[in-house]
Amino acid sequence: MKHNIHSLIILIAMMFAATGAQAQDADKIHAEDGLFNHLSVGLNTGLTGVGIDVAMPVHKLVTVRAGFSGWNIGKINFKAISTATEITSMQMVEEDAIKRAQMVDKVELQVNPNFWNFYLLGEVHPFHNQPFYFAAGVFFGSQNFVHFKNTNEGALGFLYDANQKVEDYNRLYRTNYPPIGLKFGDYIFTADENGNIDVRMKTNAVKPYIGVGFGQHLAKTHRVSLAVDAGLLFWGTPKFVLNNGTEIDSSGRNSGITGALKWLKAWPNIQVRVAYKIF
């Protein structure tokens, strides 16, 4: 009986040793450098949204990663001030359309932030045995970063009529009164002929990207890896555009929202990625 137990222990030890040797051999295989010889699938989250991507090596120091990320925060309602209350010219105030507009000082607007992109990135790992890398590539996707609409469909006809009167007054008397609409910082959102406000904050569809990272997208000796990226998407200067394609001019050039948008020519990105190496 005692001899049988010793034999069983030796057999189990030999099995573990063989399994360990096979695992080490597999790890060595997975750690080999090469062209398109490995593939990982990752889930990521960050300031560009939540997404999925794949990564593979194209050189012993270069990895290519392609995927999709995006987010939709949901609809947010807020009250915007009508500029009709700022009209003081007695001749215009006597107009019925202006009177109706001045009876409403605030209107509820709905803002819907929405951002999604496909991307293709090349990552250079300058130090072969260190998890630091440089990243560069391109994001391409949505141009409409934020969408503004009134919550009551077709309810802003009074703002449209009042704005038409202001435009007529400016043409007739060669004045330069600002349009009548709803204030958003340095901008005035005017209603269309259907009594709606439909404004989008637009950026470039193609957004070059540069950044740095730390971690691994293709684990050397394990299946699961973790990496963190930090960089900038260069999307141009954001613009507010009406639904007919007309760009809205700002009343302030270097302050308020206008100044912030001029500064925000690039969208910051911090992204965390967890990946699983398939082969």
Side-chain angles (χ1 to χ4, degrees):
M1 183 71 172
K2 186 176 181 180
H3 176 74
N4 292 338
I5 293 175
H6 286 168
S7 299
L8 181 60
I9 292 173
I10 293 172
L11 179 61
I12 292 173
M14 291 175 63
M15 291 174 63
F16 272 110
T19 303
Q22 290 177 356
Q24 289 178 359
D25 289 341
D27 284 344
K28 289 178 181 177
I29 291 173
H30 288 297
E32 289 177 353
D33 294 318
L35 179 65
F36 303 123
N37 65 336
H38 298 306
L39 177 69
S40 72
V41 177
L43 297 175
N44 57 71
T45 183
L47 295 180
T48 56
V50 177
I52 186 170
D53 58 20
V54 295
M56 62 175 55
V58 295
H59 182 271
K60 64 181 180 180
L61 298 180
V62 181
T63 300
V64 170
R65 185 156 58 99
F68 169 87
S69 64
W71 45 257
N72 188 332
I73 294 176
K75 298 174 180 178
I76 304 168
N77 294 347
F78 69 98
K79 294 283 189 179
I81 299 173
S82 169
T83 60
T85 57
E86 298 175 0
I87 294 294
T88 57
S89 170
M90 290 306 298
Q91 187 169 347
M92 276 198 292
V93 168
E94 292 302 314
E95 294 282 353
D96 289 340
I98 302 295
K99 287 180 180 178
R100 288 195 301 272
Q102 288 187 329
M103 293 175 65
V104 180
D105 60 346
K106 290 185 180 181
V107 175
E108 188 173 68
L109 280 184
Q110 187 177 85
V111 57
N112 183 16
N114 185 30
F115 195 47
W116 60 267
N117 290 279
F118 294 96
Y119 57 85
L120 179 64
L121 303 176
E123 297 166 352
V124 178
H125 300 252
F127 311 109
H128 186 62
N129 295 319
Q130 298 297 325
F132 172 80
Y133 58 87
F134 297 100
V138 62
F139 282 66
F140 50 96
S142 62
Q143 289 181 274
N144 300 320
F145 185 67
V146 178
H147 186 195
F148 296 86
K149 288 196 73 174
N150 48 295
T151 54
N152 296 325
E153 184 74 17
L156 304 182
F158 64 93
L159 285 179
Y160 174 76
D161 293 339
N163 191 50
Q164 291 298 107
K165 289 296 181 183
V166 170
E167 290 181 356
D168 292 342
Y169 191 91
N170 285 337
R171 264 193 310 270
L172 183 61
Y173 296 101
R174 299 177 183 272
T175 53
N176 192 31
Y177 282 99
I180 288 183
L182 300 181
K183 270 189 174 182
F184 184 75
D186 304 321
Y187 296 84
I188 297 175
F189 298 164
T190 56
D192 60 24
E193 64 274 13
N194 298 315
N196 295 312
I197 282 179
D198 190 339
V199 176
R200 299 167 195 269
M201 193 184 98
K202 302 196 75 169
T203 64
N204 295 339
V206 178
K207 313 166 186 74
Y209 175 83
I210 59 171
V212 296
F214 187 85
Q216 294 180 336
H217 294 295
L218 288 159
K220 292 293 184 181
T221 58
H222 300 87
R223 291 287 186 180
V224 180
S225 60
L226 176 68
V228 179
D229 289 3
L232 293 172
L233 277 74
F234 294 92
W235 62 2
T237 302
K239 302 174 182 178
F240 288 104
V241 180
L242 296 171
N243 63 337
N244 62 5
T246 303
E247 183 180 342
I248 303 174
D249 291 327
S250 166
S251 59
R253 297 298 176 186
N254 297 305
S255 61
I257 293 176
T258 305
L261 291 183
K262 285 185 177 180
W263 175 82
L264 195 64
K265 292 182 179 180
W267 179 255
N269 180 41
I270 297 176
Q271 186 183 73
V272 179
R273 180 180 188 262
V274 178
Y276 179 81
K277 184 193 284 185
I278 298 176
F279 63 85

